[in-house]
């Protein structure tokens, strides 16, 4: 049995480069996830009124979409880390950094909508929707507590 500490000893470096109109999140790893398979986690908390619309899971990605009666969606994605880069359009967006449940979280918000990006363990996470900062924190905390149960 591999202990949590040994599992987390995979060295991941998370670099962020911000430009005027784009933000690049680069994940560099000293190991390739090749034979690893994602262990899906999901938030235990969602704002009131959201119901599952769609989900899909592969060996390397897990995504769930919820929708409320007004048609607003929340998208949650969990992606197994590898050598990758994500580029987000941040023109006219507000960028905020928070620490939530031991995770360094980036919130990119524009016109009431937000994209939330963070790393935890051997996965990167993305949360998209019209959410308050308080809701974002509760969702992330509920994922962290659910994955340690």
């Amino acid at each position: 049995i591999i202990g949590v500490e040994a599992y987390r000893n995979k060295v991941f470096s998370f670099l962020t480069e911000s430009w005027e109109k784009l933000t690049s999140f680069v994940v560099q790893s000293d190991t390739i996830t090749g034979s690893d398979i994602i262990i899906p986690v999901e938030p235990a908390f969602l704002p009131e009124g959201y119901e599952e619309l769609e989900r899909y899971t592969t060996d390397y990605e897990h995504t769930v979409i919820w929708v409320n009666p007004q048609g607003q969606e929340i998208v949650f994605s969990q992606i197994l880390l590898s050598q990758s880069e994500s580029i987000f359009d941040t023109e006219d967006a507000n960028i905020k950094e928070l620490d939530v449940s031991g995770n360094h979280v980036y919130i990119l918000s524009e016109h009431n909508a937000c994209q939330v990006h963070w790393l935890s363990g051997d996965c990167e996470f993305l949360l998209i929707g019209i959410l308050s900062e308080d809701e974002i924190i509760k969702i992330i905390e509920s994922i962290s507590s659910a994955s340690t149960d």
Side-chain angles (χ1 to χ4, degrees), residues 18-95:
S18 293
W19 298 284
E20 187 174 326
K21 297 182 181 185
L22 298 173
T23 297
S24 173
F25 294 96
V26 180
V27 176
Q28 296 177 329
S29 171
D30 66 345
T31 60
I32 302 299
T33 59
S35 63
D36 292 346
I37 295 175
I38 199 166
I39 298 170
V41 297
E42 300 179 9
F45 168 82
L46 288 174
E48 192 173 325
Y50 280 87
E51 294 185 10
E52 188 174 310
L53 176 66
E54 182 180 341
R55 75 171 44 232
Y56 63 90
T57 302
T58 68
D59 288 348
Y60 306 103
E61 182 176 357
H62 175 64
T63 298
V64 183
I65 302 170
W66 297 274
V67 64
N68 69 11
Q70 293 77 36
Q72 297 172 329
E73 294 181 354
I74 294 175
V75 178
F76 170 77
S77 290
Q78 173 190 8
I79 303 158
L80 197 61
L81 285 175
S82 63
Q83 307 290 343
S84 66
E85 179 175 15
S86 300
I87 299 177
F88 298 98
D89 179 0
T90 54
E91 183 177 12
D92 300 324
N94 295 314
I95 302 172

